[in-house]
Amino acid sequence: MANMVMGLCSILCSLNGHHYAACWLLLVGYLLDLADGAVARQLNACSALGAQLDDFADFTTFGIATALLLQAHGLLDGILVIFYVMAVFTRLCFYSSGIPFMYRGLPCPYASAILACTSLLTGANVLVLRITAVLMILFMVDHGFYPHDKVLESQAWKKIVYAGGVVMVLCSSFPSACVYYLIWSVSYILFPAALWSCKV
């Protein structure tokens, strides 16, 4: 639920022109999304309802709230926003690959983090955001395989990466934090099995 709260707050910030805060809240939502499953499993609180709420929270934060960063002021931008939201929806509905510990298509939190960081680093440059959004859509609807991102239930170095993300959000300047999250997310796209597999 905390992830969804971040998404709703990000939506409100976008609607009121607070671009910086909207992006920052998406990065916080990214961290919370990676943590909520681990916390639920530790507390033995997993349920079908919880899984449905998690999908709804992901759609709110990484679909609608992220799409608002694209600033749909014209018809083509509006179409891109719709395609982005539908890509996230499709990804959440059909992510199961049939292979244990693997997703099919890029998980939407990583696409969201990349868009938020790109927006912050480029000053919300519309052209760069459009290109990035199209790339993220292609990755999300792709049939490529990505490992489950249970970083808090995995190797120690992945927990350190997560802790670094928390420190960056809370204590670092936004350029440094954005570079950190970009490296984290892009490495997941480029080296999913080599770096982020649960076996590594």
Side-chain angles (χ1 to χ4, degrees):
M1 294 299 290
N3 168 26
M4 185 166 63
V5 171
M6 293 301 105
L8 292 171
C9 290
S10 178
I11 289 171
L12 290 174
C13 287
S14 290
L15 293 176
N16 287 281
H18 302 303
H19 166 75
Y20 176 92
C23 293
W24 212 247
L25 287 164
L26 289 175
L27 294 180
V28 176
Y30 172 88
L31 290 173
L32 292 172
D33 182 67
L34 291 175
D36 61 6
V39 171
R41 284 183 285 273
Q42 286 291 324
L43 298 175
N44 196 26
C46 296
S47 67
L49 176 60
Q52 291 177 347
L53 288 174
D54 185 61
D55 282 347
F56 184 72
D58 286 353
F59 181 70
T60 301
T61 303
F62 308 123
I64 298 172
T66 303
L68 287 176
L69 300 182
L70 300 176
Q71 308 171 48
H73 298 308
L75 177 61
L76 291 179
D77 287 335
I79 292 172
L80 179 59
V81 166
I82 291 171
F83 269 93
Y84 188 89
V85 172
M86 291 307 297
V88 172
F89 179 77
T90 303
R91 172 63 186 71
L92 290 170
C93 288
F94 305 108
Y95 76 89
S96 178
S97 65
I99 301 174
F101 308 112
M102 295 296 288
Y103 294 125
R104 186 183 289 277
L106 177 68
C108 52
Y110 292 93
S112 176
I114 289 172
L115 266 176
C117 292
T118 300
S119 185
L120 286 171
L121 290 173
T122 64
N125 183 285
V126 175
L127 178 60
V128 176
L129 283 175
R130 288 171 181 165
I131 294 171
T132 305
V134 169
L135 288 173
M136 294 303 101
I137 290 170
L138 293 175
F139 278 119
M140 284 190 285
V141 301
D142 180 36
H143 286 175
F145 293 103
Y146 294 88
H148 281 202
D149 44 353
K150 297 178 181 178
V151 295
L152 293 180
E153 302 169 272
S154 190
Q155 296 84 346
W157 73 267
K158 294 177 185 175
K159 296 175 184 176
I160 293 172
V161 169
Y162 183 90
V166 174
V167 171
M168 284 291 179
V169 161
L170 296 178
C171 306
S172 177
S173 61
F174 85 80
S176 301
C178 288
V179 170
Y180 186 91
Y181 279 88
L182 278 177
I183 292 173
W184 181 356
S185 300
V186 171
S187 72
Y188 181 83
I189 294 174
L190 297 179
F191 311 107
L195 282 179
W196 296 101
S197 169
C198 59
K199 299 178 181 178
V200 177

